[in-house]
Amino acid sequence: MDDTNTTDANVTAQGATPEGLPSEAQILEALKVVKDPEIPVNVVDLGLIYGVDVGEGGVVDITMTLTSVGCPVQDLIRADAEMAVGRLDGVSEVNVEFVWTPPWGPDKMTEDGKRQMRMFGFSV
C-alpha cells in the first residue's frame, strides 16, 4: 500500500468534519499545549497522537500512545489532553484511548520535535 492513498484518505476525512465542529488540524494544534512532564516537547511533535476522530454531537476520540508502557504520568497527560481539546468550540466530550501498537519510537517525532529535543541536549 502506498502512503499517498493513506494521506488522501486522511485529507478527505478532515474535510468531512461537520460544520461547527473543530477540524483534525485544530485539534492537533490544541494538543500542542500538552507535554509529557518528563520530556520538554508536546505530544503532537513527539509523535504520540495516532488518530483523531470528530463524531456527531462534538464527541472527539483521540488515539495516542506514550513513550513507555509504564509511564507514571499517563493520567496527567490524559487529563491535559481532554482539557485542551474540550475548550474548542463545538466539542462536547473528549475520549482519550492509549494504545501500545505500534510502539512509540523517536522515528515518530516531527522534525520540530527532534529540533526541540536537541535543544534540550537529547540525541535524536
Side-chain angles (χ1 to χ4, degrees):
M1 175 189 251
D2 113 344
D3 286 336
T4 305
N5 291 339
T6 303
T7 303
D8 290 344
N10 289 339
V11 169
T12 302
Q14 284 182 356
T17 302
E19 194 171 323
L21 296 179
S23 67
E24 180 177 347
Q26 290 170 312
I27 291 168
L28 291 173
E29 190 61 34
L31 285 168
K32 286 187 177 183
V33 302
V34 180
K35 294 184 179 181
D36 181 327
E38 299 173 324
I39 303 172
V41 179
N42 70 70
V43 296
V44 175
D45 288 327
L46 276 173
L48 300 178
I49 306 300
Y50 285 179
V52 171
D53 182 50
V54 181
E56 288 186 34
V59 176
V60 176
D61 294 315
I62 300 167
T63 305
M64 65 181 295
T65 194
L66 297 170
T67 56
S68 67
V69 174
C71 181
V73 293
Q74 177 175 335
D75 292 338
L76 175 64
I77 292 172
R78 178 193 314 269
D80 287 352
E82 290 171 348
M83 189 178 332
V85 175
R87 291 180 177 149
L88 295 173
D89 288 341
V91 173
S92 63
E93 182 180 339
V94 181
N95 302 305
V96 175
E97 178 186 5
F98 290 106
V99 296
W100 309 109
T101 304
W104 178 85
D107 60 307
K108 299 206 181 315
M109 295 173 66
T110 65
E111 287 306 312
D112 193 42
K114 290 176 185 177
R115 181 187 57 75
Q116 292 174 57
M117 291 289 283
R118 287 190 292 273
M119 284 175 40
F120 287 102
F122 292 93
S123 176
V124 288

